[in-house]
Amino acid sequence: MTSENILQVEDVTLSFGGTTVLDRVGFDVRAGEIRAIIGPNGAGKTSMLNCISGFYRPQGGRLLFGGEHDLAGGKRAAQLGIARTFQNIGLYNYLSALDNLMAARHIHMRQNMLASALFWGYARKEEARHRAVVEELIDFLEIAHIRKTMVGALPYGLRKRVELGRALALEPKLLLLDEPMAGMNAEEKEDMARFILDIHTRRGVTIVLVEHDMTLVMDIADRIVVLDFGTKIADGVPDAIRQDPEVIRAYLGQAS
Amino acid sequence: MAMLRPAGDFDRSYEQDMALLRQPWHYWLLGFSLLAAFTLPLWGDAYLVATANQIAYTIIAVQGLNILTGYTGQISLSQAAFMLVGGYASALLVIHAGLSFFVALPLAALAAGAIGLIFGLTSLRVKGFYLAFATLAAQFIIPWLSRHTFKEYLGGANGAIEVPLPQLGTVNFGEVSSYFYISLVVLLITTALLFNISRTRLGRAFVSIRDNDLAAELLGVNLFTYKLRAFFIAAMLAGLAGAIKAHSQRGVGTEFGYSLNESILYLGMLVIGGLGTNLGPFLGVAFIVLLEDLSDLLGGVLAAAFPELSGQLLTSFRPIFFGLALMLFLIYEPRGLAHRWQLLRAGWRLRPFAR
């Protein structure tokens, strides 16, 4: 393993009951790249993300983060600097957009229960300091006009953007995006693609992306893993993936 | 719903934006409310003060429930049992340890909080409906223990012990007009603390567990310890309320209530007031206590008119009105009076364009 690999997935096997969802899948993610995972429905893409974010515990294999931490034990993903968004949006619906982002600052804040309740001195300064960090993200994602709106009341595209902001508020080294553009129109997709590229280039965050829009994936991804029925069938740069006969058979279809 | 602010209300710092009192009239309103509350014994009659006293300590108990059920989303049916713990703890500390009530009060809160932690341990494993049943266990075990163990201390089959009146120096809190100030001051303190909790790290962690526990965990909130914190705060406030209630009624024990009925009543007050809002406990408790007074009044009038049915008429209107109110709220305003208040406020800000 080279040192520039931020994430090393080795022979990860995951099964529920008798169903094998991931079968000895292995790939690596280099620091600073956009890595896409594609494949037909039920291929195990989201399960792979769940393994990386420590939500599922694979039965076999290793997930090495930063070359030393094995994520297969689960639970410490946030502390290590892994943030994610969800396929069906996992926001806190009754909090404002601002508070959703502030909630993601949780692990960066030090105030204890008593300090929170008294809101005096340190706690007050800390809240203001983290507010400044969050406001910078709000500016970046262009959601200033809805910062005090309850996210449950927001339209879908904006909620996706707030969720991206919440993941960024964790200041992750690795960002996992589960279908960030699903259900969006062309314009919203372009906006989201721009944000993803900006996060990548300006903030230097490594991104693992699951997405079905092939045009976009081929455009923004540096390298692509293709899964089919829980096994890896291809891995490489977009141009190679586009030509791969196995990928064309399983997913892309003849027309492309 | 977007938070609308009046024109010309700008912030120059994030501290300013986080402040609760933002406009001059906020200070005036708070000042006048406090003045009205503190002078209540001067202009209100004994009945009004007694009602206000009851409302004040009930709000504290419901505030605790609000942290647990409203903010953290963990349904609890045992708030009355934790009040019983607080009441007994304070009474026993005053009677047997010779402590002043004002020292026993915080200790009673801590005792109830500790018991709350024990029952909160189940919350790691079970959620929702199943957790409600786990907390039901506390509601049955604690009153049972108070009747069947340590009979010489807890009153045994009598179901009650006498509780002495608090005394501070030469000031005696025997009259409700003076006792009311204890309830009021404690209520003001808990309210200030809860407002702060709801706008800082702790409150956001609570709400994130309620709204999406999966996301909260992935974003680094330790579900177990934060649920325990919620249980601790809820039981602590119940303990405070219980201690105040015990000394106010000069007695504590199962004879004074503290049953499942009360726990459900508190939950009902919270739902009617508005789950997960700071205003909810105030509105819900005031609404239900006044509704109970109304039903007693109606029961009294009808009992005088139909003397042969007076037994049933006097007692039947409280549960009927409570049940009816709860049902109507669940159907027409499930987010409670606090939400209605917010809509009114937003409408006022948008005048004349509000629908």
Side-chain angles (χ1 to χ4, degrees), chain A residues 182-225:
Chain A
M184 290 184 166
N185 63 31
E187 195 188 346
E188 286 172 328
K189 278 184 185 179
E190 277 172 21
D191 279 349
M192 188 55 93
R194 181 166 55 85
F195 286 129
I196 292 172
L197 288 172
D198 276 356
I199 290 164
H200 176 241
T201 51
R202 284 209 255 150
R203 296 177 173 266
V205 179
T206 311
I207 293 170
V208 173
L209 173 79
V210 168
E211 182 51 52
H212 279 294
D213 189 315
M214 275 313 108
T215 327
L216 267 163
V217 167
M218 296 292 177
D219 273 355
I220 67 175
D222 294 319
R223 290 189 301 155
I224 299 174
V225 181

Side-chain angles (χ1 to χ4, degrees), chain B residues 109-317:
Chain B
L110 287 177
I115 305 287
L117 278 183
I118 296 172
F119 285 97
L121 288 172
T122 49
S123 67
L124 177 67
R125 289 282 166 195
V126 290
K127 290 200 243 193
F129 185 65
Y130 303 95
L131 179 66
F133 268 78
T135 61
L136 205 54
Q139 183 58 58
F140 281 107
I141 292 168
I142 292 171
W144 187 88
L145 287 176
S146 82
R147 271 180 173 267
H148 296 278
T149 56
F150 301 103
K151 289 180 181 172
E152 62 275 31
Y153 290 107
L154 304 181
N158 289 334
I161 57 169
E162 269 190 48
V163 180
L165 284 165
Q167 196 138 12
L168 186 65
T170 56
V171 185
N172 191 335
F173 289 93
E175 295 294 322
V176 71
S177 57
S178 49
Y179 195 89
F180 168 67
Y181 287 108
I182 298 177
S183 315
L184 184 61
V185 168
V186 174
L187 174 63
L188 288 177
I189 295 171
T190 58
T191 304
L193 296 182
L194 291 174
F195 262 101
N196 286 339
I197 287 176
S198 69
R199 60 179 167 156
T200 47
R201 179 179 189 235
L202 185 61
R204 287 189 299 265
F206 285 159
V207 177
S208 64
I209 292 173
R210 177 194 70 192
D211 279 3
N212 196 327
D213 54 350
L214 185 66
E217 186 165 18
L218 289 176
L219 286 167
V221 176
N222 186 330
L223 296 189
F224 185 47
T225 60
Y226 273 87
K227 282 180 186 174
L228 280 187
R229 280 176 171 91
F231 268 94
F232 181 70
I233 294 174
M236 226 170 68
L237 291 176
L240 269 183
I244 293 172
K245 179 179 173 175
H247 289 265
S248 167
Q249 297 184 328
R250 302 180 196 189
V252 65
T254 44
E255 282 301 298
F256 288 89
Y258 302 101
S259 65
L260 179 61
N261 273 350
E262 269 81 3
S263 283
I264 291 174
L265 189 67
Y266 297 144
L267 204 55
M269 287 169 166
L270 184 57
V271 169
I272 286 172
L275 285 156
T277 61
N278 283 314
L279 204 55
F282 285 82
L283 298 176
V285 172
F287 183 85
I288 290 296
V289 170
L290 297 179
L291 193 70
E292 284 183 342
D293 277 5
L294 182 72
S295 35
D296 289 351
L297 199 70
L298 190 64
V301 170
L302 285 178
F306 305 99
E308 67 274 18
L309 289 172
S310 63
Q312 292 94 312
L313 284 173
L314 277 172
T315 53
S316 58
F317 280 95

Side-chain angles (χ1 to χ4, degrees), chain A residues 6-211:
Chain A
I6 189 168
L7 179 71
Q8 182 84 23
V9 178
E10 292 171 0
D11 291 330
V12 164
T13 301
L14 177 74
S15 57
F16 297 113
T19 321
T20 302
V21 183
L22 293 170
D23 186 15
R24 294 193 305 279
V25 175
F27 61 91
D28 56 14
V29 180
R30 291 181 199 138
E33 76 173 340
I34 297 181
R35 188 78 149 116
I37 304 176
I38 62 169
N41 290 325
K45 306 182 294 293
T46 299
S47 297
M48 191 69 239
L49 286 197
N50 281 338
C51 287
I52 299 172
S53 56
F55 179 58
Y56 288 164
R57 191 174 293 205
Q59 279 86 2
R62 292 198 303 170
L63 292 131
L64 286 180
F65 182 72
E68 45 179 331
H69 303 284
D70 191 355
L71 299 171
K75 295 236 168 169
R76 290 175 303 121
Q79 271 80 10
L80 293 176
I82 301 176
R84 70 169 289 179
T85 64
F86 296 86
Q87 196 171 345
N88 307 315
I89 306 186
L91 286 169
Y92 311 133
N93 278 336
Y94 289 92
L95 286 179
S96 65
L98 172 67
D99 278 342
N100 265 279
L101 267 64
M102 286 294 282
R105 301 294 300 169
H106 183 84
I107 61 165
H108 296 290
M109 297 175 95
R110 287 286 147 274
Q111 55 178 284
N112 59 22
M113 193 161 121
L114 196 63
S116 280
L118 293 174
F119 195 55
W120 202 259
Y122 182 72
R124 190 181 289 249
K125 288 200 195 82
E126 188 178 57
E127 289 285 326
R129 196 168 68 238
H130 289 270
R131 174 75 188 272
V133 176
V134 164
E135 285 290 343
E136 197 254 325
L137 275 173
I138 287 177
D139 274 355
F140 167 66
L141 291 169
E142 296 160 24
I143 50 176
H145 57 297
I146 51 150
R147 67 156 79 76
K148 296 221 167 163
T149 309
M150 223 173 63
V151 294
L154 291 174
Y156 182 82
L158 278 176
R159 274 189 285 154
K160 278 274 191 197
R161 219 189 284 175
V162 173
E163 199 191 21
L164 181 64
R166 188 182 64 177
L168 284 178
L170 194 79
E171 288 180 22
K173 296 190 191 83
L174 178 64
L175 180 60
L176 312 173
L177 301 175
D178 198 351
E179 302 202 15
M181 296 160 211
M184 290 184 166
N185 63 31
E187 195 188 346
E188 286 172 328
K189 278 184 185 179
E190 277 172 21
D191 279 349
M192 188 55 93
R194 181 166 55 85
F195 286 129
I196 292 172
L197 288 172
D198 276 356
I199 290 164
H200 176 241
T201 51
R202 284 209 255 150
R203 296 177 173 266
V205 179
T206 311
I207 293 170
V208 173
L209 173 79
V210 168
E211 182 51 52

Side-chain angles (χ1 to χ4, degrees), chain B residues 28-60:
Chain B
W28 283 105
L29 187 67
L30 181 69
F32 277 117
S33 315
L34 288 180
L35 191 70
F38 274 96
T39 54
L40 181 67
L42 301 180
W43 50 266
D45 61 2
Y47 178 73
L48 185 64
V49 179
T51 308
N53 184 44
Q54 188 202 344
I55 288 178
Y57 65 67
T58 311
I59 289 174
I60 298 171

